[in-house]
Amino acid sequence: MKISIIGTGYVGLVTGACLAEMGNNVLCLDVDPRKIEILNNGGIPIYEPGLEVMVKRNVAAGRLAFTTSVEASVAHGTLQFIAVGTPPDEDGSADLQYVVAAARNIGRHMAEYKVVVDKSTVPVGTADRVREAIREELAQRGVQIDYSVVSNPEFLKEGAAVDDFMRPDRVVIGADDERALSLMRNLYQPFQRNHERIIIMDVRSAELTKYAANAMLATRISFMNELANLAEVMGADIEHVRKGIGSDPRIGYHFLYPGVGYGGSCFPKDVQALQRTASENGINLHVLNAVERVNDAQKFRMLQKLDKHFDGDLQGRHFALWGLAFKPNTDDMRDAPSLVIIRGLLERGATVTAYDPIAVHEAQRILGNVEGVRYASSPMNALEGADALLIVTEWKEFRSPDFPGIKAALKRPLIVDGRNMYDPALVRGFELEYDAIGRK
Ligand SMILES: NC(=O)C1=CN([C@@H]2O[C@H](COP(=O)(O)OP(=O)(O)OC[C@H]3O[C@@H](n4cnc5c(N)ncnc54)[C@H](O)[C@@H]3O)[C@@H](O)[C@H]2O)C=CC1
Ligand SMILES: O=C(O)[C@H]1O[C@H](OP(=O)(O)OP(=O)(O)OC[C@H]2O[C@@H](n3ccc(=O)[nH]c3=O)[C@H](O)[C@@H]2O)[C@H](O)[C@@H](O)[C@@H]1O
């Protein structure tokens, strides 16, 4: 099938590469010429495990190409995937300007039937806006061409995006007409060889399903963070509690890890956007309001712990910080809790040496050339002269560290672990103080 992907970011590039991998002929469009230049030169503008190899293989096979030409992109695919960003507007609602611009471009240039597939995360009713934008452009041109608009939200996780796309738990397709639905079914058929994964529904339900999924996952995290803070006060251990409740299949083990709050480009913005949609429609989502408040507070948990350990005075202290990305296996720093922690330390007069295997460039770009933040080339190098070690992202390479080396390097043998990576007894066995989230 001939497919165009509009927007070559985390979702667009992964979608394009994976659909090409299944034998489709894919053209990816981006308005950012820098990204397209990198891709056309055989590079990858983002870090995502397995993606580079897949992109190269499909480019070499002639199934995947990149362009900045809107005309070429609209002409290419019968299926036009919109995978542009939907960042938060000032009031928290999803900013749909990129989605609408993409739709207008399609309307301006299409010459035959197209299925416009919305893969970006968008509020309920956006498909109607997309449909309307295309209709207006066609009317302007004085032409009548058939098209369909469908919703096909994406559920991939960064850091595991290729795997998630290739082996989806489910493929949600919201469609209101049979012609588009049949093309979408054919497209996703190869992804469900073992069992039925395609879930078909109306467009508005598909749009809401995406927000409901992210909101539910965010709710689990905030719930566990709140319980972890309670466990700490009560002398219980949240890791035991997590296993104790996760073993109930009605609850399950996933997304019950307490930490320094959820970050990333999606949970924070999607929780806010759903709240906004609800309030615009006269509904107050009480649970989600609390989820967001708990998360905002949890990002300060590590600073509170440091205040406790250093008698409320961090002036002149220096800290080693392991992990900058909002989660492992990505270079994405959007809404990363590390940014709140670093800024909080600087405000309190402390300095930081940070280490991250992948995200240092992104961190530098976002934080700028700020005084008081340095970057180390290895986890152990970050420890030099530090008053304590702070763990913010659970990269695998931090799992079995050289504890005696850590103890020797730190001025005070203290690890504050925002991701509960270690067995407290093991760490304390190396005569290190250990303070994790919700642990004894
Ligand atoms: N990042 C993730 O893990 C996931 C993101 N999503 C959703 O997918 C959407 C895209 O997210 P990301 O890929 O993370 O965004 P991104 O910011 O990485 O990529 C968006 C790309 O679209 C391009 N773009 C903007 N306007 C354009 C236009 N008119 N024509 C062509 N290209 C244009 C931008 O230059 C950028 O490269 C968002 O709605 C997001 O909520 C959904 C599931 C997972
Ligand atoms: O809509 C999206 O963009 C995506 O958002 C999330 O994916 P992602 O943001 O890539 O990362 P997650 O693995 O969900 O982690 C999000 C945040 O929650 C935190 N988290 C996650 C799980 C957990 O148990 N505890 C916890 O604190 C992570 O550290 C991270 O900061 C969802 O998991 C995807 O299904 C969805 O497609």
Side-chain angles (χ1 to χ4, degrees):
M1 223 180 283
K2 283 178 111 177
I3 294 160
S4 297
I5 310 276
I6 305 159
T8 312
Y10 286 88
V11 168
L13 187 54
V14 170
T15 303
C18 292
L19 291 177
E21 181 80 1
M22 287 299 191
N24 296 290
N25 189 325
V26 181
L27 182 61
C28 293
L29 167 78
D30 207 289
V31 284
D32 182 348
R34 186 192 62 93
K35 280 192 183 172
I36 297 301
E37 195 186 331
I38 294 172
L39 286 159
N40 278 333
N41 288 331
I44 291 273
I46 52 169
Y47 174 80
E48 193 57 56
L51 185 56
E52 189 162 0
V53 182
M54 188 181 269
V55 167
K56 281 193 174 141
R57 182 168 53 240
N58 284 285
V59 168
R63 288 190 298 263
L64 181 61
F66 306 99
T67 186
T68 52
S69 162
V70 171
E71 290 86 343
S73 161
V74 177
H76 180 80
T78 305
L79 298 182
Q80 297 274 323
F81 277 79
I82 299 181
V84 299
T86 47
D89 226 334
E90 271 163 27
D91 61 4
S93 62
D95 179 353
L96 295 177
Q97 62 167 308
Y98 307 104
V99 171
V100 173
R104 287 202 178 280
N105 281 340
I106 296 170
R108 231 166 261 153
H109 298 287
M110 65 191 270
E112 63 201 344
Y113 175 72
K114 301 283 175 191
V115 181
V116 180
V117 185
D118 191 2
K119 210 164 214 356
S120 297
T121 301
V122 291
V124 176
T126 301
D128 296 337
R129 284 185 65 179
V130 166
R131 204 173 284 119
E132 183 57 18
I134 298 172
R135 196 194 60 74
E136 280 172 15
E137 292 299 330
L138 291 176
Q140 190 103 25
R141 289 166 57 198
V143 294
Q144 244 194 339
I145 306 168
D146 275 355
Y147 63 97
S148 307
V149 179
V150 308
S151 167
N152 171 218
E154 181 49 55
F155 298 96
L156 63 78
K157 302 181 289 299
E158 287 179 25
V162 170
D163 233 40
D164 285 348
F165 196 98
M166 293 304 279
R167 273 179 285 278
D169 295 319
R170 78 299 212 185
V171 174
V172 170
I173 301 173
D176 296 328
D177 73 89
E178 203 38 60
R179 186 175 180 186
L181 187 55
S182 133
L183 282 165
M184 292 298 287
R185 255 192 216 279
N186 290 345
L187 179 72
Y188 280 110
Q189 205 54 41
F191 292 89
Q192 55 167 9
R193 289 188 65 189
N194 300 330
H195 61 91
E196 182 73 29
R197 290 162 206 257
I198 297 178
I199 302 173
I200 291 161
M201 57 184 79
D202 62 279
V203 172
R204 292 174 92 85
S205 301
E207 289 172 333
L208 187 55
T209 298
K210 172 63 197 176
Y211 282 102
N214 276 0
M216 170 69 93
L217 293 169
T219 301
R220 284 169 72 95
I221 298 169
S222 275
F223 176 80
M224 285 306 282
N225 281 335
E226 226 175 17
L227 274 195
N229 299 340
L230 176 66
E232 225 167 286
V233 174
M234 305 304 292
D237 187 333
I238 195 68
E239 288 305 314
H240 292 315
V241 176
R242 182 177 64 73
K243 288 175 194 150
I245 61 173
S247 53
D248 181 334
R250 291 171 303 174
I251 296 175
Y253 288 107
H254 294 296
F255 276 73
L256 289 185
Y257 292 91
V260 285
Y262 59 75
S265 67
C266 291
F267 284 178
K269 89 166 164 59
D270 292 349
V271 166
Q272 272 184 22
L274 187 53
Q275 284 169 298
R276 189 71 204 166
T277 301
S279 70
E280 278 167 8
N281 288 280
I283 305 260
N284 192 342
L285 297 180
H286 301 285
V287 172
L288 271 199
N289 295 344
V291 166
E292 193 185 6
R293 275 205 309 279
V294 169
N295 195 56
D296 288 344
Q298 194 68 12
K299 291 186 184 170
F300 289 90
R301 192 78 192 135
M302 193 165 256
L303 293 166
Q304 288 166 353
K305 283 179 180 290
L306 290 176
D307 278 339
K308 179 186 78 188
H309 289 291
F310 294 94
D311 298 323
D313 184 11
L314 302 184
Q315 183 70 39
R317 298 281 179 192
H318 179 67
F319 296 101
L321 187 146
W322 284 3
L324 290 161
F326 82 97
K327 62 180 238 178
N329 297 323
T330 180
D331 60 348
D332 201 339
M333 287 290 299
R334 289 179 282 186
D335 256 316
S338 65
L339 295 170
V340 174
I341 294 167
I342 290 173
R343 289 184 180 125
L345 288 171
L346 296 179
E347 270 165 26
R348 288 163 175 73
T351 52
V352 181
T353 299
Y355 169 78
D356 189 285
I358 302 287
V360 168
H361 284 304
E362 269 303 291
Q364 279 172 322
R365 194 180 63 76
I366 291 171
L367 285 166
N369 227 346
V370 59
E371 212 175 296
V373 183
R374 277 176 292 157
Y375 300 93
S377 56
S378 78
M380 294 310 276
N381 282 349
L383 302 175
E384 215 180 289
D387 285 290
L389 165 61
L390 318 180
I391 300 179
V392 180
T393 315
E394 68 279 31
W395 285 92
K396 276 205 183 77
E397 64 181 89
F398 304 153
R399 279 200 194 162
S400 300
D402 168 14
F403 286 115
I406 294 175
K407 180 174 184 315
L410 290 176
K411 280 206 238 163
R412 173 174 171 180
L414 169 64
I415 299 179
V416 181
D417 181 356
R419 295 295 178 183
N420 293 2
M421 293 199 71
Y422 311 120
D423 171 0
L426 175 92
V427 183
R428 290 181 189 130
F430 291 100
E431 293 173 0
L432 280 153
E433 289 174 73
Y434 184 62
D435 189 355
I437 306 289
R439 307 213 69 179
K440 289 207 265 189

PDB file of all heavy atoms in Angstrom, residues 167-187:
ATOM      1  N   ARG A 167       4.464  -5.271  17.601  1.00  0.00           N
ATOM      2  CA  ARG A 167       3.670  -6.263  18.346  1.00  0.00           C
ATOM      3  C   ARG A 167       2.666  -5.536  19.245  1.00  0.00           C
ATOM      4  O   ARG A 167       2.781  -5.552  20.472  1.00  0.00           O
ATOM      5  CB  ARG A 167       4.596  -7.127  19.213  1.00  0.00           C
ATOM      6  CG  ARG A 167       5.158  -8.322  18.470  1.00  0.00           C
ATOM      7  CD  ARG A 167       6.084  -9.115  19.361  1.00  0.00           C
ATOM      8  NE  ARG A 167       7.358  -8.427  19.510  1.00  0.00           N
ATOM      9  CZ  ARG A 167       8.346  -8.494  18.618  1.00  0.00           C
ATOM     10  NH1 ARG A 167       8.205  -9.225  17.540  1.00  0.00           N
ATOM     11  NH2 ARG A 167       9.473  -7.845  18.817  1.00  0.00           N
ATOM     12  N   PRO A 168       1.685  -4.906  18.645  1.00  0.00           N
ATOM     13  CA  PRO A 168       0.774  -4.072  19.450  1.00  0.00           C
ATOM     14  C   PRO A 168      -0.163  -4.918  20.308  1.00  0.00           C
ATOM     15  O   PRO A 168      -0.534  -6.030  19.916  1.00  0.00           O
ATOM     16  CB  PRO A 168      -0.025  -3.318  18.382  1.00  0.00           C
ATOM     17  CG  PRO A 168       0.007  -4.199  17.179  1.00  0.00           C
ATOM     18  CD  PRO A 168       1.312  -4.940  17.216  1.00  0.00           C
ATOM     19  N   ASP A 169      -0.495  -4.396  21.504  1.00  0.00           N
ATOM     20  CA  ASP A 169      -1.523  -5.057  22.321  1.00  0.00           C
ATOM     21  C   ASP A 169      -2.856  -4.961  21.597  1.00  0.00           C
ATOM     22  O   ASP A 169      -3.663  -5.872  21.628  1.00  0.00           O
ATOM     23  CB  ASP A 169      -1.675  -4.358  23.679  1.00  0.00           C
ATOM     24  CG  ASP A 169      -0.408  -4.482  24.503  1.00  0.00           C
ATOM     25  OD1 ASP A 169       0.188  -5.571  24.490  1.00  0.00           O
ATOM     26  OD2 ASP A 169      -0.008  -3.485  25.134  1.00  0.00           O
ATOM     27  N   ARG A 170      -3.059  -3.805  20.977  1.00  0.00           N
ATOM     28  CA  ARG A 170      -4.291  -3.597  20.222  1.00  0.00           C
ATOM     29  C   ARG A 170      -4.053  -2.487  19.210  1.00  0.00           C
ATOM     30  O   ARG A 170      -3.160  -1.662  19.359  1.00  0.00           O
ATOM     31  CB  ARG A 170      -5.468  -3.246  21.126  1.00  0.00           C
ATOM     32  CG  ARG A 170      -5.572  -1.817  21.655  1.00  0.00           C
ATOM     33  CD  ARG A 170      -4.431  -1.378  22.490  1.00  0.00           C
ATOM     34  NE  ARG A 170      -4.790  -0.436  23.539  1.00  0.00           N
ATOM     35  CZ  ARG A 170      -3.890   0.138  24.325  1.00  0.00           C
ATOM     36  NH1 ARG A 170      -2.592  -0.100  24.171  1.00  0.00           N
ATOM     37  NH2 ARG A 170      -4.256   0.970  25.256  1.00  0.00           N
ATOM     38  N   VAL A 171      -4.879  -2.542  18.150  1.00  0.00           N
ATOM     39  CA  VAL A 171      -4.874  -1.469  17.157  1.00  0.00           C
ATOM     40  C   VAL A 171      -6.286  -0.896  17.165  1.00  0.00           C
ATOM     41  O   VAL A 171      -7.234  -1.599  16.818  1.00  0.00           O
ATOM     42  CB  VAL A 171      -4.533  -2.014  15.754  1.00  0.00           C
ATOM     43  CG1 VAL A 171      -4.672  -0.920  14.708  1.00  0.00           C
ATOM     44  CG2 VAL A 171      -3.131  -2.620  15.732  1.00  0.00           C
ATOM     45  N   VAL A 172      -6.402   0.342  17.612  1.00  0.00           N
ATOM     46  CA  VAL A 172      -7.733   0.953  17.673  1.00  0.00           C
ATOM     47  C   VAL A 172      -7.986   1.718  16.379  1.00  0.00           C
ATOM     48  O   VAL A 172      -7.162   2.541  15.966  1.00  0.00           O
ATOM     49  CB  VAL A 172      -7.839   1.895  18.895  1.00  0.00           C
ATOM     50  CG1 VAL A 172      -9.123   2.733  18.826  1.00  0.00           C
ATOM     51  CG2 VAL A 172      -7.804   1.087  20.193  1.00  0.00           C
ATOM     52  N   ILE A 173      -9.096   1.392  15.745  1.00  0.00           N
ATOM     53  CA  ILE A 173      -9.464   2.115  14.525  1.00  0.00           C
ATOM     54  C   ILE A 173     -10.859   2.705  14.715  1.00  0.00           C
ATOM     55  O   ILE A 173     -11.832   1.974  14.933  1.00  0.00           O
ATOM     56  CB  ILE A 173      -9.459   1.186  13.291  1.00  0.00           C
ATOM     57  CG1 ILE A 173      -8.073   0.572  13.089  1.00  0.00           C
ATOM     58  CG2 ILE A 173      -9.893   1.964  12.036  1.00  0.00           C
ATOM     59  CD1 ILE A 173      -8.009  -0.480  12.000  1.00  0.00           C
ATOM     60  N   GLY A 174     -10.909   4.009  14.660  1.00  0.00           N
ATOM     61  CA  GLY A 174     -12.204   4.687  14.726  1.00  0.00           C
ATOM     62  C   GLY A 174     -12.565   5.137  13.327  1.00  0.00           C
ATOM     63  O   GLY A 174     -11.865   5.953  12.732  1.00  0.00           O
ATOM     64  N   ALA A 175     -13.617   4.548  12.787  1.00  0.00           N
ATOM     65  CA  ALA A 175     -13.986   4.903  11.410  1.00  0.00           C
ATOM     66  C   ALA A 175     -15.499   4.949  11.283  1.00  0.00           C
ATOM     67  O   ALA A 175     -16.196   4.157  11.920  1.00  0.00           O
ATOM     68  CB  ALA A 175     -13.410   3.876  10.435  1.00  0.00           C
ATOM     69  N   ASP A 176     -15.960   5.877  10.480  1.00  0.00           N
ATOM     70  CA  ASP A 176     -17.405   5.988  10.293  1.00  0.00           C
ATOM     71  C   ASP A 176     -17.824   5.555   8.886  1.00  0.00           C
ATOM     72  O   ASP A 176     -18.997   5.663   8.542  1.00  0.00           O
ATOM     73  CB  ASP A 176     -17.871   7.433  10.576  1.00  0.00           C
ATOM     74  CG  ASP A 176     -17.636   7.812  12.034  1.00  0.00           C
ATOM     75  OD1 ASP A 176     -17.717   6.911  12.898  1.00  0.00           O
ATOM     76  OD2 ASP A 176     -17.349   8.992  12.314  1.00  0.00           O
ATOM     77  N   ASP A 177     -16.871   5.096   8.053  1.00  0.00           N
ATOM     78  CA  ASP A 177     -17.297   4.594   6.738  1.00  0.00           C
ATOM     79  C   ASP A 177     -16.521   3.347   6.333  1.00  0.00           C
ATOM     80  O   ASP A 177     -15.366   3.145   6.703  1.00  0.00           O
ATOM     81  CB  ASP A 177     -17.220   5.689   5.659  1.00  0.00           C
ATOM     82  CG  ASP A 177     -15.799   6.005   5.251  1.00  0.00           C
ATOM     83  OD1 ASP A 177     -15.282   5.354   4.329  1.00  0.00           O
ATOM     84  OD2 ASP A 177     -15.201   6.907   5.868  1.00  0.00           O
ATOM     85  N   GLU A 178     -17.221   2.497   5.584  1.00  0.00           N
ATOM     86  CA  GLU A 178     -16.735   1.153   5.269  1.00  0.00           C
ATOM     87  C   GLU A 178     -15.504   1.165   4.345  1.00  0.00           C
ATOM     88  O   GLU A 178     -14.590   0.354   4.506  1.00  0.00           O
ATOM     89  CB  GLU A 178     -17.893   0.377   4.624  1.00  0.00           C
ATOM     90  CG  GLU A 178     -17.811  -1.132   4.713  1.00  0.00           C
ATOM     91  CD  GLU A 178     -17.249  -1.681   6.040  1.00  0.00           C
ATOM     92  OE1 GLU A 178     -17.828  -1.432   7.113  1.00  0.00           O
ATOM     93  OE2 GLU A 178     -16.205  -2.343   5.966  1.00  0.00           O
ATOM     94  N   ARG A 179     -15.470   2.118   3.422  1.00  0.00           N
ATOM     95  CA  ARG A 179     -14.355   2.159   2.458  1.00  0.00           C
ATOM     96  C   ARG A 179     -13.023   2.363   3.189  1.00  0.00           C
ATOM     97  O   ARG A 179     -12.048   1.639   2.962  1.00  0.00           O
ATOM     98  CB  ARG A 179     -14.604   3.313   1.475  1.00  0.00           C
ATOM     99  CG  ARG A 179     -13.603   3.368   0.343  1.00  0.00           C
ATOM    100  CD  ARG A 179     -14.004   4.463  -0.634  1.00  0.00           C
ATOM    101  NE  ARG A 179     -13.074   4.553  -1.739  1.00  0.00           N
ATOM    102  CZ  ARG A 179     -13.126   5.499  -2.669  1.00  0.00           C
ATOM    103  NH1 ARG A 179     -14.066   6.429  -2.630  1.00  0.00           N
ATOM    104  NH2 ARG A 179     -12.242   5.524  -3.647  1.00  0.00           N
ATOM    105  N   ALA A 180     -13.015   3.342   4.109  1.00  0.00           N
ATOM    106  CA  ALA A 180     -11.793   3.624   4.858  1.00  0.00           C
ATOM    107  C   ALA A 180     -11.451   2.461   5.787  1.00  0.00           C
ATOM    108  O   ALA A 180     -10.292   2.050   5.904  1.00  0.00           O
ATOM    109  CB  ALA A 180     -11.979   4.901   5.665  1.00  0.00           C
ATOM    110  N   LEU A 181     -12.479   1.920   6.414  1.00  0.00           N
ATOM    111  CA  LEU A 181     -12.274   0.837   7.374  1.00  0.00           C
ATOM    112  C   LEU A 181     -11.620  -0.362   6.704  1.00  0.00           C
ATOM    113  O   LEU A 181     -10.702  -0.986   7.251  1.00  0.00           O
ATOM    114  CB  LEU A 181     -13.629   0.454   7.973  1.00  0.00           C
ATOM    115  CG  LEU A 181     -13.590  -0.537   9.121  1.00  0.00           C
ATOM    116  CD1 LEU A 181     -12.675  -0.049  10.216  1.00  0.00           C
ATOM    117  CD2 LEU A 181     -15.005  -0.743   9.665  1.00  0.00           C
ATOM    118  N   SER A 182     -12.057  -0.666   5.520  1.00  0.00           N
ATOM    119  CA  SER A 182     -11.513  -1.835   4.840  1.00  0.00           C
ATOM    120  C   SER A 182     -10.027  -1.619   4.493  1.00  0.00           C
ATOM    121  O   SER A 182      -9.195  -2.526   4.643  1.00  0.00           O
ATOM    122  CB  SER A 182     -12.400  -2.146   3.636  1.00  0.00           C
ATOM    123  OG  SER A 182     -11.652  -2.377   2.511  1.00  0.00           O
ATOM    124  N   LEU A 183      -9.652  -0.411   4.076  1.00  0.00           N
ATOM    125  CA  LEU A 183      -8.230  -0.121   3.819  1.00  0.00           C
ATOM    126  C   LEU A 183      -7.404  -0.228   5.115  1.00  0.00           C
ATOM    127  O   LEU A 183      -6.295  -0.771   5.124  1.00  0.00           O
ATOM    128  CB  LEU A 183      -8.081   1.284   3.226  1.00  0.00           C
ATOM    129  CG  LEU A 183      -8.424   1.425   1.744  1.00  0.00           C
ATOM    130  CD1 LEU A 183      -8.593   2.885   1.357  1.00  0.00           C
ATOM    131  CD2 LEU A 183      -7.345   0.771   0.880  1.00  0.00           C
ATOM    132  N   MET A 184      -7.957   0.275   6.204  1.00  0.00           N
ATOM    133  CA  MET A 184      -7.236   0.248   7.482  1.00  0.00           C
ATOM    134  C   MET A 184      -7.060  -1.187   7.981  1.00  0.00           C
ATOM    135  O   MET A 184      -6.015  -1.567   8.505  1.00  0.00           O
ATOM    136  CB  MET A 184      -7.988   1.070   8.543  1.00  0.00           C
ATOM    137  CG  MET A 184      -8.001   2.555   8.281  1.00  0.00           C
ATOM    138  SD  MET A 184      -6.348   3.288   8.283  1.00  0.00           S
ATOM    139  CE  MET A 184      -5.934   3.272  10.010  1.00  0.00           C
ATOM    140  N   ARG A 185      -8.113  -1.990   7.821  1.00  0.00           N
ATOM    141  CA  ARG A 185      -8.042  -3.402   8.217  1.00  0.00           C
ATOM    142  C   ARG A 185      -6.934  -4.122   7.445  1.00  0.00           C
ATOM    143  O   ARG A 185      -6.142  -4.860   8.019  1.00  0.00           O
ATOM    144  CB  ARG A 185      -9.357  -4.085   7.863  1.00  0.00           C
ATOM    145  CG  ARG A 185     -10.246  -4.376   8.993  1.00  0.00           C
ATOM    146  CD  ARG A 185     -11.310  -5.302   8.391  1.00  0.00           C
ATOM    147  NE  ARG A 185     -12.613  -5.072   8.940  1.00  0.00           N
ATOM    148  CZ  ARG A 185     -13.003  -5.567  10.103  1.00  0.00           C
ATOM    149  NH1 ARG A 185     -12.166  -6.277  10.820  1.00  0.00           N
ATOM    150  NH2 ARG A 185     -14.209  -5.351  10.547  1.00  0.00           N
ATOM    151  N   ASN A 186      -6.894  -3.878   6.138  1.00  0.00           N
ATOM    152  CA  ASN A 186      -5.870  -4.523   5.297  1.00  0.00           C
ATOM    153  C   ASN A 186      -4.474  -4.107   5.740  1.00  0.00           C
ATOM    154  O   ASN A 186      -3.551  -4.914   5.785  1.00  0.00           O
ATOM    155  CB  ASN A 186      -6.051  -4.143   3.824  1.00  0.00           C
ATOM    156  CG  ASN A 186      -7.290  -4.769   3.244  1.00  0.00           C
ATOM    157  OD1 ASN A 186      -7.854  -5.693   3.839  1.00  0.00           O
ATOM    158  ND2 ASN A 186      -7.733  -4.279   2.091  1.00  0.00           N
ATOM    159  N   LEU A 187      -4.337  -2.835   6.082  1.00  0.00           N
ATOM    160  CA  LEU A 187      -3.028  -2.320   6.482  1.00  0.00           C
ATOM    161  C   LEU A 187      -2.527  -3.022   7.743  1.00  0.00           C
ATOM    162  O   LEU A 187      -1.354  -3.374   7.849  1.00  0.00           O
ATOM    163  CB  LEU A 187      -3.125  -0.809   6.739  1.00  0.00           C
ATOM    164  CG  LEU A 187      -1.830  -0.152   7.194  1.00  0.00           C
ATOM    165  CD1 LEU A 187      -0.836  -0.082   6.041  1.00  0.00           C
ATOM    166  CD2 LEU A 187      -2.086   1.251   7.739  1.00  0.00           C
TER     167      LEU A 187
END
